[in-house]
Structures are given as C-alpha cells and as structure tokens.
Amino acid sequence: MGFDYFMNPFAEWIGWFPKHYSREERVLVHKLDFLILVFACLSTWANNLDVYAIYNAYESGMKDDLNLYGNRLSYLNAVYWAATIVFQIPSNALLTVVPAEYFIPACELMWGMFTLGTAFVKNYEQLLVMRFFVGVTSTPCWIGNAHIINTWYRRQELGKRNAIYYNTYPLGSMFTGYLQNACLTLDGIGGLQGWRWLFIICTIITVPISFVGMVFYPNVPDKCKSRWLTPAEKELAKKRLLDEGFAPSRGIDRSILKRVLKAWPTWVFFILANSFWQTPYPSTTPYLLWLGDRYPGNYSLINNLSTISYAISIVSAMFFAFYSDWRGNRWDSLLMAGVVVLVCNSMLMAWNIPTGAKFFAFIALGFCNGPINLIIAWFAETLSYDLEVRAISLAVINMGYCICALVVPLTAFQTIDAPRFYAGFIWSVCLSVVQLLMIPLPIYLERRDKRLGIHQAETDVIVASAAGLDEVSKEVAGGDESFSSREKKMDSDVKISALS
C-alpha cells in the first residue's frame, strides 16, 4: 500500500489528473510533481528572497553604512535588471545543450555565493559588482524552471502546474517579509549589522536547495537520465508528450535563429504576455503606497491588507488553472481577467471615486494576477512542434518583462506621483485595451496553421515517434534490456525520414 494508494482518490477528486489514467501514469505524474515542482518552487522562492532582500536591507542600515544616497538604489536595481536582460537568451539556449539538472542548480549555487558576498561588501562599488553577478546567475531560475515544467506535462495538466509555480511569488512575498524582519534582530551578533545577517541567512537557505536540485531535478524528457525514474517511466513520459503533440528535441543548429524569428508565437506572445503581466501592476507597489498614504504609520493594517491581496491572487491562480485545464483552452480565462483589468484600471484612472471602489479596484486587480500564468501554458502549447524554439522564445518574451520591470516604475509609476499615478494608470488602461485586442490573434493563427498544415513535417515526426515508442514500451514491459540502443537508432531514423 504505497503513497499513490492514498493520493490517487484525492487527486482524482480534485481533478489533478483524469480518471482514465492508468496506475503507471498516475505514479509517474506524482513523481514528476515531486521531482520538478518541488525544486522549481523552492528555487524560485530562494531567488525571490535573495534578489529582493536588498530593499529590506536598504531600509535597515545598509543605506547609511554604504552611503547609498541619491539614486544609488535605483542604479543597483538597474544593474541587476540589465544583467538579467542580457543573459536571458544565452541562459535558455545553454539549457537546451547543458544538462538542466546541473545547470540550474549550479547557477543557484553561484547566486548564493554572490548573495553571501553581498553580506561583506565595504562600499557601493563592490555592491554594484555583487548585484550584477546576482543578476547574471539568477537568470536561469524563472525561465529555466518554467521551460522544464512545460516540457513534461500533458496539456490538461499544464495549467495547474504553472499556477503552482506562479504561486511561489505571492506565497514567497507573504513569508519573506516576516523572515527578513526576524533576520534583522541579529544585529550586532558576531560584530555584523542586521542587514548583513540577512544576506547570510539567505545564502544558508539557497545553497542547500541547489544541492536538492542536483540530486532530484530531471532534464527534459528526451535527455532525462534521472535515477528516480525507471526506464519504463521515461518511455511513458515521452509517449505522453508525443500523444499530446509535443515534438521531441531537434537540437541546436544554425537554423535556430531563423526558426525563432519565423515562429509567430515569439512575437504575438511577446506582446500578449507582457501586456497581461503589466496591467495588474497597480495591485502591487501602487496599492501599498496608497495604503501607506491612507493609513500612515499603521504598518500592521497595511501588511494585513496586502496579505489579503496576495491570498486572493493565489486562490484566483488555482481556480483559473483548474477551470482552463477542464475547458481545454486558455483564452476564455484570460478574456474574463482582461475585462476586469480594463474596468479596474479605468476606475483608478478616474480616481475621484469612493474609497470602497478604490479598494475593489486594487483587490480585483490582485485577483486578475491569478490567470496570467496561463499565458505560459498557452505559449508552450502553440510551440509544441519545436522544443528548442520554445525555450529561446520564452527567454525573448521574458526579456520584455525584465525591461518593463526596469523601465515602467521609473517612468509611468514614479514614487513622487503616489498615490495617484495618473500617467501610470493611463498606461495601464492603454495596455488593457491592447491585451483584449490581442487575444483573438493567437486563436486565429493556431487554427490557420492547423487548417493549412503548416507544421505537417513536425507532426509527422511526432506521429512516427509515438508509433516507435509503442514498440519500445512493449520491449520494456517484456523485460528486454537491450531496448535503449535500438530506441536511439529508431528515433534518429524517424526524425531523418520525417523531415526529409
């Protein structure tokens, strides 16, 4: 009587996977959730902790100790984001070549070391160097883990897994503040200021998580050598994806740049994703600044109200994830969220409305943060025919987010304009209109590609590979130990014949 005996009825009841799954497939899904989601979420939480610790440290003594006056904090933020932006595409390109089970954890180990280095900097210049390398080494965290998650699951499983991964951010934000405040009570111990202890504790959390990844994290299915999955489970994992229309790895070659540039999801989702990621922005820092202006000095109330917004976002993410997986599409959830976002941003732009209406607008925007993770699942599904293009295009899209994270707060949402960010709310309304107008475009292009058979060669590879894996699976079930070498030859033959 194993773990799956108890988990399967509950997982089936909540719709974690369909009732028709075999016992072998259910066990595989449970294993994948543990091997992939646990490390991905821990890794992203540690990244969130390390990256944003500097803001808490700034208010807790670092500003005076390192003479961070004027715009120096903004420059530190700019250096971090600039490093992250530059390394986006190289990071995910490397991920298609270097084993993910070592690459992502190794980068986490390195950013942990640079976080530790931050605890011992003596001046502003040294801090700039540390922030740059934290930016470089932490880049593979979000985009790398997002890519791996979206290479292992069936379409009807992707929404829920992306939602859990997304919830790392609001959950982490809810917990991080308390942890960081606790670390600051260590002020003076060992002759170190409290803000220095904050970075030391962050490192103590980050480094063990990196070793967890090296032990448990799998690579993409076609290159998986995980000791925690049996040969039969590895074949089942690949066949599941082929059944869903996800093509096997083609590898990186000279054609990759052309393939990325020609793929319409790269550019359509660049606009769509970054619109949806930016339009709920008023529910974050602008909301906190408005609360601070309305309830000055009442930090407990402000913290509780911000926690409510995070909690609503978490519930929303899970609700829309289950709904979209059940419906079998992503667009209607995003359409519902897009309409609410437009209404709420319009209310904030008007501003001269009752306080209760403002509360509703800010909280409802937090609710609309939930379904935005579905864009990644939708994007992965539209690029199911090319794994490498999917990895690099995801980096291109996330570059847009990083650029907006750097530029938008410094332009549209300048702190001096708080609490009424007139320019920022106009920006949000305009983007809200753009995202609603963009939703029909990928729907039309997907249907057009299918009708015209634009990716028929890739489809032939998938069908042929699936047929071949059926034969391999029979050999595995029959105890044939020599199947792996024949499988490799068969896969090579299939790809050559289908693409020729």
Side-chain angles (χ1 to χ4, degrees), residues 31-32 34-37 39 95 99-102 104 145 148-149 151-152 212-221 223-229:
K31 280 189 175 183
L32 294 178
F34 175 77
L35 295 174
I36 298 173
L37 285 180
F39 171 73
L95 192 60
E101 64 267 36
Y102 300 120
I104 297 178
N145 284 319
I148 296 298
I149 289 171
T151 59
W152 277 96
V212 169
M214 291 179 187
V215 174
F216 293 103
Y217 205 52
N219 202 346
V220 296
K223 302 175 183 178
C224 179
K225 297 180 181 178
S226 174
R227 73 191 75 177
W228 307 106
L229 297 175

PDB file of all heavy atoms in Angstrom, residues 31-32 34-37 39 95 99-102 104 145 148-149 151-152 212-221 223-229:
ATOM      1  N   LYS A  31       5.395  11.422  -9.297  1.00  0.00           N
ATOM      2  CA  LYS A  31       6.849  11.549  -9.262  1.00  0.00           C
ATOM      3  C   LYS A  31       7.318  12.853  -9.907  1.00  0.00           C
ATOM      4  O   LYS A  31       8.198  13.551  -9.387  1.00  0.00           O
ATOM      5  CB  LYS A  31       7.502  10.353  -9.981  1.00  0.00           C
ATOM      6  CG  LYS A  31       7.588   9.085  -9.154  1.00  0.00           C
ATOM      7  CD  LYS A  31       8.458   8.055  -9.884  1.00  0.00           C
ATOM      8  CE  LYS A  31       8.682   6.815  -9.053  1.00  0.00           C
ATOM      9  NZ  LYS A  31       9.588   5.854  -9.729  1.00  0.00           N
ATOM     10  N   LEU A  32       6.729  13.181 -11.053  1.00  0.00           N
ATOM     11  CA  LEU A  32       7.112  14.407 -11.748  1.00  0.00           C
ATOM     12  C   LEU A  32       6.808  15.637 -10.889  1.00  0.00           C
ATOM     13  O   LEU A  32       7.607  16.577 -10.835  1.00  0.00           O
ATOM     14  CB  LEU A  32       6.390  14.507 -13.089  1.00  0.00           C
ATOM     15  CG  LEU A  32       6.757  13.464 -14.144  1.00  0.00           C
ATOM     16  CD1 LEU A  32       5.921  13.669 -15.401  1.00  0.00           C
ATOM     17  CD2 LEU A  32       8.236  13.523 -14.484  1.00  0.00           C
ATOM     18  N   PHE A  34       6.796  15.807  -7.716  1.00  0.00           N
ATOM     19  CA  PHE A  34       7.804  15.903  -6.654  1.00  0.00           C
ATOM     20  C   PHE A  34       9.160  16.324  -7.212  1.00  0.00           C
ATOM     21  O   PHE A  34       9.809  17.241  -6.690  1.00  0.00           O
ATOM     22  CB  PHE A  34       7.936  14.555  -5.936  1.00  0.00           C
ATOM     23  CG  PHE A  34       9.042  14.538  -4.910  1.00  0.00           C
ATOM     24  CD1 PHE A  34       8.870  15.144  -3.679  1.00  0.00           C
ATOM     25  CD2 PHE A  34      10.257  13.944  -5.199  1.00  0.00           C
ATOM     26  CE1 PHE A  34       9.899  15.147  -2.737  1.00  0.00           C
ATOM     27  CE2 PHE A  34      11.294  13.938  -4.274  1.00  0.00           C
ATOM     28  CZ  PHE A  34      11.108  14.551  -3.037  1.00  0.00           C
ATOM     29  N   LEU A  35       9.598  15.675  -8.277  1.00  0.00           N
ATOM     30  CA  LEU A  35      10.942  15.935  -8.800  1.00  0.00           C
ATOM     31  C   LEU A  35      11.073  17.318  -9.421  1.00  0.00           C
ATOM     32  O   LEU A  35      12.130  17.965  -9.299  1.00  0.00           O
ATOM     33  CB  LEU A  35      11.295  14.875  -9.858  1.00  0.00           C
ATOM     34  CG  LEU A  35      11.417  13.433  -9.368  1.00  0.00           C
ATOM     35  CD1 LEU A  35      11.620  12.494 -10.547  1.00  0.00           C
ATOM     36  CD2 LEU A  35      12.552  13.290  -8.371  1.00  0.00           C
ATOM     37  N   ILE A  36      10.027  17.795 -10.082  1.00  0.00           N
ATOM     38  CA  ILE A  36      10.112  19.052 -10.822  1.00  0.00           C
ATOM     39  C   ILE A  36       9.569  20.228 -10.017  1.00  0.00           C
ATOM     40  O   ILE A  36      10.261  21.225  -9.793  1.00  0.00           O
ATOM     41  CB  ILE A  36       9.365  18.945 -12.164  1.00  0.00           C
ATOM     42  CG1 ILE A  36       9.996  17.868 -13.041  1.00  0.00           C
ATOM     43  CG2 ILE A  36       9.370  20.283 -12.899  1.00  0.00           C
ATOM     44  CD1 ILE A  36       9.225  17.565 -14.306  1.00  0.00           C
ATOM     45  N   LEU A  37       8.316  20.127  -9.560  1.00  0.00           N
ATOM     46  CA  LEU A  37       7.674  21.271  -8.934  1.00  0.00           C
ATOM     47  C   LEU A  37       8.306  21.656  -7.608  1.00  0.00           C
ATOM     48  O   LEU A  37       8.435  22.850  -7.294  1.00  0.00           O
ATOM     49  CB  LEU A  37       6.184  20.996  -8.731  1.00  0.00           C
ATOM     50  CG  LEU A  37       5.300  21.072  -9.971  1.00  0.00           C
ATOM     51  CD1 LEU A  37       3.856  20.782  -9.617  1.00  0.00           C
ATOM     52  CD2 LEU A  37       5.406  22.449 -10.615  1.00  0.00           C
ATOM     53  N   PHE A  39      11.464  21.358  -6.489  1.00  0.00           N
ATOM     54  CA  PHE A  39      12.697  22.128  -6.656  1.00  0.00           C
ATOM     55  C   PHE A  39      12.422  23.465  -7.334  1.00  0.00           C
ATOM     56  O   PHE A  39      12.975  24.504  -6.936  1.00  0.00           O
ATOM     57  CB  PHE A  39      13.731  21.359  -7.465  1.00  0.00           C
ATOM     58  CG  PHE A  39      14.918  22.203  -7.844  1.00  0.00           C
ATOM     59  CD1 PHE A  39      15.862  22.559  -6.896  1.00  0.00           C
ATOM     60  CD2 PHE A  39      15.063  22.672  -9.143  1.00  0.00           C
ATOM     61  CE1 PHE A  39      16.946  23.371  -7.234  1.00  0.00           C
ATOM     62  CE2 PHE A  39      16.146  23.481  -9.496  1.00  0.00           C
ATOM     63  CZ  PHE A  39      17.085  23.821  -8.532  1.00  0.00           C
ATOM     64  N   LEU A  95      20.520  25.988 -21.818  1.00  0.00           N
ATOM     65  CA  LEU A  95      19.685  24.961 -21.188  1.00  0.00           C
ATOM     66  C   LEU A  95      19.305  23.852 -22.153  1.00  0.00           C
ATOM     67  O   LEU A  95      19.009  22.734 -21.732  1.00  0.00           O
ATOM     68  CB  LEU A  95      18.426  25.618 -20.614  1.00  0.00           C
ATOM     69  CG  LEU A  95      17.558  24.777 -19.674  1.00  0.00           C
ATOM     70  CD1 LEU A  95      18.356  24.337 -18.454  1.00  0.00           C
ATOM     71  CD2 LEU A  95      16.341  25.564 -19.240  1.00  0.00           C
ATOM     72  N   PRO A  99      23.011  19.850 -19.387  1.00  0.00           N
ATOM     73  CA  PRO A  99      22.000  19.163 -18.564  1.00  0.00           C
ATOM     74  C   PRO A  99      21.357  20.099 -17.550  1.00  0.00           C
ATOM     75  O   PRO A  99      22.047  20.731 -16.750  1.00  0.00           O
ATOM     76  CB  PRO A  99      22.801  18.061 -17.872  1.00  0.00           C
ATOM     77  CG  PRO A  99      23.961  17.807 -18.766  1.00  0.00           C
ATOM     78  CD  PRO A  99      24.297  19.139 -19.364  1.00  0.00           C
ATOM     79  N   ALA A 100      20.028  20.185 -17.582  1.00  0.00           N
ATOM     80  CA  ALA A 100      19.299  21.097 -16.701  1.00  0.00           C
ATOM     81  C   ALA A 100      19.495  20.752 -15.242  1.00  0.00           C
ATOM     82  O   ALA A 100      19.491  21.636 -14.376  1.00  0.00           O
ATOM     83  CB  ALA A 100      17.806  21.064 -17.049  1.00  0.00           C
ATOM     84  N   GLU A 101      19.665  19.453 -14.946  1.00  0.00           N
ATOM     85  CA  GLU A 101      19.801  19.029 -13.555  1.00  0.00           C
ATOM     86  C   GLU A 101      21.080  19.531 -12.905  1.00  0.00           C
ATOM     87  O   GLU A 101      21.217  19.506 -11.672  1.00  0.00           O
ATOM     88  CB  GLU A 101      19.725  17.502 -13.439  1.00  0.00           C
ATOM     89  CG  GLU A 101      20.829  16.741 -14.130  1.00  0.00           C
ATOM     90  CD  GLU A 101      20.475  16.321 -15.543  1.00  0.00           C
ATOM     91  OE1 GLU A 101      19.781  17.105 -16.229  1.00  0.00           O
ATOM     92  OE2 GLU A 101      20.867  15.223 -15.967  1.00  0.00           O
ATOM     93  N   TYR A 102      22.012  20.002 -13.726  1.00  0.00           N
ATOM     94  CA  TYR A 102      23.247  20.593 -13.193  1.00  0.00           C
ATOM     95  C   TYR A 102      23.309  22.100 -13.448  1.00  0.00           C
ATOM     96  O   TYR A 102      23.808  22.859 -12.618  1.00  0.00           O
ATOM     97  CB  TYR A 102      24.474  19.912 -13.808  1.00  0.00           C
ATOM     98  CG  TYR A 102      24.526  18.427 -13.520  1.00  0.00           C
ATOM     99  CD1 TYR A 102      24.532  17.497 -14.558  1.00  0.00           C
ATOM    100  CD2 TYR A 102      24.545  17.952 -12.221  1.00  0.00           C
ATOM    101  CE1 TYR A 102      24.558  16.132 -14.302  1.00  0.00           C
ATOM    102  CE2 TYR A 102      24.570  16.596 -11.944  1.00  0.00           C
ATOM    103  CZ  TYR A 102      24.581  15.692 -12.988  1.00  0.00           C
ATOM    104  OH  TYR A 102      24.599  14.351 -12.722  1.00  0.00           O
ATOM    105  N   ILE A 104      20.862  24.579 -13.823  1.00  0.00           N
ATOM    106  CA  ILE A 104      20.062  25.462 -12.968  1.00  0.00           C
ATOM    107  C   ILE A 104      20.527  25.426 -11.518  1.00  0.00           C
ATOM    108  O   ILE A 104      20.732  26.482 -10.902  1.00  0.00           O
ATOM    109  CB  ILE A 104      18.559  25.124 -13.096  1.00  0.00           C
ATOM    110  CG1 ILE A 104      18.087  25.377 -14.535  1.00  0.00           C
ATOM    111  CG2 ILE A 104      17.736  25.942 -12.111  1.00  0.00           C
ATOM    112  CD1 ILE A 104      16.633  25.024 -14.788  1.00  0.00           C
ATOM    113  N   ASN A 145      13.281  27.067 -15.085  1.00  0.00           N
ATOM    114  CA  ASN A 145      12.298  26.194 -14.436  1.00  0.00           C
ATOM    115  C   ASN A 145      10.974  26.190 -15.188  1.00  0.00           C
ATOM    116  O   ASN A 145      10.327  25.144 -15.319  1.00  0.00           O
ATOM    117  CB  ASN A 145      12.075  26.648 -12.991  1.00  0.00           C
ATOM    118  CG  ASN A 145      13.218  26.258 -12.077  1.00  0.00           C
ATOM    119  OD1 ASN A 145      13.761  25.161 -12.171  1.00  0.00           O
ATOM    120  ND2 ASN A 145      13.599  27.148 -11.173  1.00  0.00           N
ATOM    121  N   ILE A 148      11.348  23.853 -18.154  1.00  0.00           N
ATOM    122  CA  ILE A 148      11.339  22.439 -17.782  1.00  0.00           C
ATOM    123  C   ILE A 148       9.935  21.985 -17.412  1.00  0.00           C
ATOM    124  O   ILE A 148       9.474  20.901 -17.831  1.00  0.00           O
ATOM    125  CB  ILE A 148      12.311  22.176 -16.608  1.00  0.00           C
ATOM    126  CG1 ILE A 148      13.753  22.474 -17.036  1.00  0.00           C
ATOM    127  CG2 ILE A 148      12.184  20.733 -16.123  1.00  0.00           C
ATOM    128  CD1 ILE A 148      14.271  21.617 -18.160  1.00  0.00           C
ATOM    129  N   ILE A 149       9.221  22.778 -16.623  1.00  0.00           N
ATOM    130  CA  ILE A 149       7.849  22.414 -16.237  1.00  0.00           C
ATOM    131  C   ILE A 149       6.993  22.183 -17.470  1.00  0.00           C
ATOM    132  O   ILE A 149       6.205  21.223 -17.529  1.00  0.00           O
ATOM    133  CB  ILE A 149       7.233  23.512 -15.350  1.00  0.00           C
ATOM    134  CG1 ILE A 149       7.900  23.508 -13.971  1.00  0.00           C
ATOM    135  CG2 ILE A 149       5.717  23.317 -15.199  1.00  0.00           C
ATOM    136  CD1 ILE A 149       7.512  24.686 -13.102  1.00  0.00           C
ATOM    137  N   THR A 151       7.769  21.151 -20.346  1.00  0.00           N
ATOM    138  CA  THR A 151       8.204  20.091 -21.258  1.00  0.00           C
ATOM    139  C   THR A 151       7.828  18.697 -20.763  1.00  0.00           C
ATOM    140  O   THR A 151       8.115  17.718 -21.457  1.00  0.00           O
ATOM    141  CB  THR A 151       9.737  20.125 -21.448  1.00  0.00           C
ATOM    142  OG1 THR A 151      10.377  19.963 -20.174  1.00  0.00           O
ATOM    143  CG2 THR A 151      10.185  21.433 -22.074  1.00  0.00           C
ATOM    144  N   TRP A 152       7.197  18.587 -19.599  1.00  0.00           N
ATOM    145  CA  TRP A 152       6.941  17.263 -19.024  1.00  0.00           C
ATOM    146  C   TRP A 152       5.462  16.884 -18.939  1.00  0.00           C
ATOM    147  O   TRP A 152       5.141  15.710 -18.765  1.00  0.00           O
ATOM    148  CB  TRP A 152       7.536  17.177 -17.620  1.00  0.00           C
ATOM    149  CG  TRP A 152       8.988  16.837 -17.586  1.00  0.00           C
ATOM    150  CD1 TRP A 152      10.031  17.711 -17.501  1.00  0.00           C
ATOM    151  CD2 TRP A 152       9.575  15.534 -17.639  1.00  0.00           C
ATOM    152  NE1 TRP A 152      11.230  17.040 -17.493  1.00  0.00           N
ATOM    153  CE2 TRP A 152      10.980  15.684 -17.582  1.00  0.00           C
ATOM    154  CE3 TRP A 152       9.057  14.243 -17.737  1.00  0.00           C
ATOM    155  CZ2 TRP A 152      11.861  14.622 -17.611  1.00  0.00           C
ATOM    156  CZ3 TRP A 152       9.935  13.169 -17.766  1.00  0.00           C
ATOM    157  CH2 TRP A 152      11.317  13.363 -17.708  1.00  0.00           C
ATOM    158  N   VAL A 212      19.696  20.051  -3.577  1.00  0.00           N
ATOM    159  CA  VAL A 212      18.464  19.280  -3.796  1.00  0.00           C
ATOM    160  C   VAL A 212      18.211  19.142  -5.291  1.00  0.00           C
ATOM    161  O   VAL A 212      17.854  18.070  -5.797  1.00  0.00           O
ATOM    162  CB  VAL A 212      17.264  19.957  -3.101  1.00  0.00           C
ATOM    163  CG1 VAL A 212      15.944  19.318  -3.545  1.00  0.00           C
ATOM    164  CG2 VAL A 212      17.395  19.862  -1.594  1.00  0.00           C
ATOM    165  N   GLY A 213      18.401  20.241  -6.029  1.00  0.00           N
ATOM    166  CA  GLY A 213      18.203  20.204  -7.476  1.00  0.00           C
ATOM    167  C   GLY A 213      19.162  19.264  -8.172  1.00  0.00           C
ATOM    168  O   GLY A 213      18.773  18.528  -9.087  1.00  0.00           O
ATOM    169  N   MET A 214      20.432  19.272  -7.751  1.00  0.00           N
ATOM    170  CA  MET A 214      21.424  18.389  -8.376  1.00  0.00           C
ATOM    171  C   MET A 214      21.080  16.913  -8.178  1.00  0.00           C
ATOM    172  O   MET A 214      21.398  16.079  -9.014  1.00  0.00           O
ATOM    173  CB  MET A 214      22.805  18.684  -7.804  1.00  0.00           C
ATOM    174  CG  MET A 214      23.359  20.044  -8.210  1.00  0.00           C
ATOM    175  SD  MET A 214      24.988  20.358  -7.491  1.00  0.00           S
ATOM    176  CE  MET A 214      25.248  22.071  -7.968  1.00  0.00           C
ATOM    177  N   VAL A 215      20.422  16.615  -7.068  1.00  0.00           N
ATOM    178  CA  VAL A 215      20.086  15.220  -6.765  1.00  0.00           C
ATOM    179  C   VAL A 215      18.789  14.791  -7.438  1.00  0.00           C
ATOM    180  O   VAL A 215      18.695  13.681  -7.980  1.00  0.00           O
ATOM    181  CB  VAL A 215      19.990  15.020  -5.241  1.00  0.00           C
ATOM    182  CG1 VAL A 215      19.485  13.610  -4.914  1.00  0.00           C
ATOM    183  CG2 VAL A 215      21.342  15.250  -4.577  1.00  0.00           C
ATOM    184  N   PHE A 216      17.774  15.656  -7.443  1.00  0.00           N
ATOM    185  CA  PHE A 216      16.437  15.228  -7.849  1.00  0.00           C
ATOM    186  C   PHE A 216      15.952  15.780  -9.191  1.00  0.00           C
ATOM    187  O   PHE A 216      15.118  15.148  -9.841  1.00  0.00           O
ATOM    188  CB  PHE A 216      15.413  15.624  -6.776  1.00  0.00           C
ATOM    189  CG  PHE A 216      15.570  14.891  -5.483  1.00  0.00           C
ATOM    190  CD1 PHE A 216      16.160  15.505  -4.392  1.00  0.00           C
ATOM    191  CD2 PHE A 216      15.150  13.578  -5.350  1.00  0.00           C
ATOM    192  CE1 PHE A 216      16.321  14.831  -3.188  1.00  0.00           C
ATOM    193  CE2 PHE A 216      15.297  12.897  -4.165  1.00  0.00           C
ATOM    194  CZ  PHE A 216      15.887  13.523  -3.080  1.00  0.00           C
ATOM    195  N   TYR A 217      16.440  16.936  -9.618  1.00  0.00           N
ATOM    196  CA  TYR A 217      15.847  17.612 -10.769  1.00  0.00           C
ATOM    197  C   TYR A 217      16.143  16.859 -12.066  1.00  0.00           C
ATOM    198  O   TYR A 217      17.284  16.462 -12.307  1.00  0.00           O
ATOM    199  CB  TYR A 217      16.412  19.018 -10.861  1.00  0.00           C
ATOM    200  CG  TYR A 217      15.523  20.013 -11.570  1.00  0.00           C
ATOM    201  CD1 TYR A 217      14.197  20.179 -11.209  1.00  0.00           C
ATOM    202  CD2 TYR A 217      16.026  20.819 -12.592  1.00  0.00           C
ATOM    203  CE1 TYR A 217      13.392  21.111 -11.840  1.00  0.00           C
ATOM    204  CE2 TYR A 217      15.232  21.754 -13.225  1.00  0.00           C
ATOM    205  CZ  TYR A 217      13.911  21.900 -12.843  1.00  0.00           C
ATOM    206  OH  TYR A 217      13.116  22.822 -13.475  1.00  0.00           O
ATOM    207  N   PRO A 218      15.130  16.653 -12.923  1.00  0.00           N
ATOM    208  CA  PRO A 218      15.366  15.965 -14.200  1.00  0.00           C
ATOM    209  C   PRO A 218      15.607  16.941 -15.343  1.00  0.00           C
ATOM    210  O   PRO A 218      15.225  18.113 -15.269  1.00  0.00           O
ATOM    211  CB  PRO A 218      14.052  15.206 -14.418  1.00  0.00           C
ATOM    212  CG  PRO A 218      13.021  16.117 -13.829  1.00  0.00           C
ATOM    213  CD  PRO A 218      13.681  16.824 -12.673  1.00  0.00           C
ATOM    214  N   ASN A 219      16.235  16.452 -16.386  1.00  0.00           N
ATOM    215  CA  ASN A 219      16.366  17.225 -17.625  1.00  0.00           C
ATOM    216  C   ASN A 219      15.073  17.072 -18.421  1.00  0.00           C
ATOM    217  O   ASN A 219      14.116  16.448 -17.955  1.00  0.00           O
ATOM    218  CB  ASN A 219      17.568  16.705 -18.419  1.00  0.00           C
ATOM    219  CG  ASN A 219      18.102  17.726 -19.407  1.00  0.00           C
ATOM    220  OD1 ASN A 219      17.451  18.723 -19.710  1.00  0.00           O
ATOM    221  ND2 ASN A 219      19.289  17.490 -19.924  1.00  0.00           N
ATOM    222  N   VAL A 220      15.029  17.592 -19.640  1.00  0.00           N
ATOM    223  CA  VAL A 220      13.853  17.403 -20.495  1.00  0.00           C
ATOM    224  C   VAL A 220      13.706  15.920 -20.808  1.00  0.00           C
ATOM    225  O   VAL A 220      14.675  15.153 -20.751  1.00  0.00           O
ATOM    226  CB  VAL A 220      13.983  18.229 -21.792  1.00  0.00           C
ATOM    227  CG1 VAL A 220      14.006  19.706 -21.476  1.00  0.00           C
ATOM    228  CG2 VAL A 220      15.221  17.823 -22.582  1.00  0.00           C
ATOM    229  N   PRO A 221      12.494  15.454 -21.142  1.00  0.00           N
ATOM    230  CA  PRO A 221      12.253  14.019 -21.299  1.00  0.00           C
ATOM    231  C   PRO A 221      13.201  13.302 -22.256  1.00  0.00           C
ATOM    232  O   PRO A 221      13.625  12.173 -21.975  1.00  0.00           O
ATOM    233  CB  PRO A 221      10.805  13.965 -21.812  1.00  0.00           C
ATOM    234  CG  PRO A 221      10.181  15.197 -21.246  1.00  0.00           C
ATOM    235  CD  PRO A 221      11.250  16.244 -21.261  1.00  0.00           C
ATOM    236  N   LYS A 223      16.222  13.825 -22.858  1.00  0.00           N
ATOM    237  CA  LYS A 223      17.600  13.769 -22.357  1.00  0.00           C
ATOM    238  C   LYS A 223      17.643  13.394 -20.883  1.00  0.00           C
ATOM    239  O   LYS A 223      18.649  13.612 -20.219  1.00  0.00           O
ATOM    240  CB  LYS A 223      18.286  15.115 -22.570  1.00  0.00           C
ATOM    241  CG  LYS A 223      18.306  15.570 -24.027  1.00  0.00           C
ATOM    242  CD  LYS A 223      18.886  16.978 -24.161  1.00  0.00           C
ATOM    243  CE  LYS A 223      18.845  17.466 -25.601  1.00  0.00           C
ATOM    244  NZ  LYS A 223      19.362  18.850 -25.732  1.00  0.00           N
ATOM    245  N   CYS A 224      16.550  12.836 -20.398  1.00  0.00           N
ATOM    246  CA  CYS A 224      16.439  12.552 -18.966  1.00  0.00           C
ATOM    247  C   CYS A 224      17.270  11.328 -18.574  1.00  0.00           C
ATOM    248  O   CYS A 224      17.132  10.255 -19.161  1.00  0.00           O
ATOM    249  CB  CYS A 224      14.979  12.325 -18.588  1.00  0.00           C
ATOM    250  SG  CYS A 224      14.736  11.937 -16.850  1.00  0.00           S
ATOM    251  N   LYS A 225      18.121  11.506 -17.569  1.00  0.00           N
ATOM    252  CA  LYS A 225      18.909  10.403 -17.026  1.00  0.00           C
ATOM    253  C   LYS A 225      18.665  10.235 -15.532  1.00  0.00           C
ATOM    254  O   LYS A 225      19.502   9.697 -14.805  1.00  0.00           O
ATOM    255  CB  LYS A 225      20.398  10.649 -17.286  1.00  0.00           C
ATOM    256  CG  LYS A 225      20.761  10.701 -18.766  1.00  0.00           C
ATOM    257  CD  LYS A 225      22.251  10.941 -18.964  1.00  0.00           C
ATOM    258  CE  LYS A 225      22.593  11.009 -20.454  1.00  0.00           C
ATOM    259  NZ  LYS A 225      24.044  11.282 -20.671  1.00  0.00           N
ATOM    260  N   SER A 226      17.512  10.714 -15.084  1.00  0.00           N
ATOM    261  CA  SER A 226      17.199  10.691 -13.661  1.00  0.00           C
ATOM    262  C   SER A 226      17.187   9.269 -13.108  1.00  0.00           C
ATOM    263  O   SER A 226      16.570   8.362 -13.683  1.00  0.00           O
ATOM    264  CB  SER A 226      15.833  11.341 -13.411  1.00  0.00           C
ATOM    265  OG  SER A 226      15.456  11.208 -12.063  1.00  0.00           O
ATOM    266  N   ARG A 227      17.843   9.085 -11.982  1.00  0.00           N
ATOM    267  CA  ARG A 227      17.857   7.780 -11.312  1.00  0.00           C
ATOM    268  C   ARG A 227      16.528   7.491 -10.631  1.00  0.00           C
ATOM    269  O   ARG A 227      16.287   6.355 -10.199  1.00  0.00           O
ATOM    270  CB  ARG A 227      18.977   7.760 -10.279  1.00  0.00           C
ATOM    271  CG  ARG A 227      18.703   8.584  -9.034  1.00  0.00           C
ATOM    272  CD  ARG A 227      19.893   8.764  -8.153  1.00  0.00           C
ATOM    273  NE  ARG A 227      20.823   9.732  -8.727  1.00  0.00           N
ATOM    274  CZ  ARG A 227      21.936  10.126  -8.125  1.00  0.00           C
ATOM    275  NH1 ARG A 227      22.257   9.634  -6.950  1.00  0.00           N
ATOM    276  NH2 ARG A 227      22.729  11.008  -8.700  1.00  0.00           N
ATOM    277  N   TRP A 228      15.677   8.524 -10.519  1.00  0.00           N
ATOM    278  CA  TRP A 228      14.416   8.360  -9.787  1.00  0.00           C
ATOM    279  C   TRP A 228      13.275   7.909 -10.686  1.00  0.00           C
ATOM    280  O   TRP A 228      12.170   7.656 -10.189  1.00  0.00           O
ATOM    281  CB  TRP A 228      14.048   9.680  -9.110  1.00  0.00           C
ATOM    282  CG  TRP A 228      15.171  10.214  -8.280  1.00  0.00           C
ATOM    283  CD1 TRP A 228      15.991  11.269  -8.572  1.00  0.00           C
ATOM    284  CD2 TRP A 228      15.645   9.698  -7.031  1.00  0.00           C
ATOM    285  NE1 TRP A 228      16.924  11.449  -7.600  1.00  0.00           N
ATOM    286  CE2 TRP A 228      16.740  10.499  -6.624  1.00  0.00           C
ATOM    287  CE3 TRP A 228      15.251   8.645  -6.203  1.00  0.00           C
ATOM    288  CZ2 TRP A 228      17.438  10.275  -5.444  1.00  0.00           C
ATOM    289  CZ3 TRP A 228      15.949   8.417  -5.026  1.00  0.00           C
ATOM    290  CH2 TRP A 228      17.017   9.229  -4.659  1.00  0.00           C
ATOM    291  N   LEU A 229      13.521   7.835 -11.990  1.00  0.00           N
ATOM    292  CA  LEU A 229      12.522   7.343 -12.931  1.00  0.00           C
ATOM    293  C   LEU A 229      13.027   6.057 -13.558  1.00  0.00           C
ATOM    294  O   LEU A 229      14.187   5.972 -13.975  1.00  0.00           O
ATOM    295  CB  LEU A 229      12.234   8.376 -14.027  1.00  0.00           C
ATOM    296  CG  LEU A 229      11.626   9.710 -13.583  1.00  0.00           C
ATOM    297  CD1 LEU A 229      11.529  10.663 -14.767  1.00  0.00           C
ATOM    298  CD2 LEU A 229      10.257   9.507 -12.954  1.00  0.00           C
TER     299      LEU A 229
END
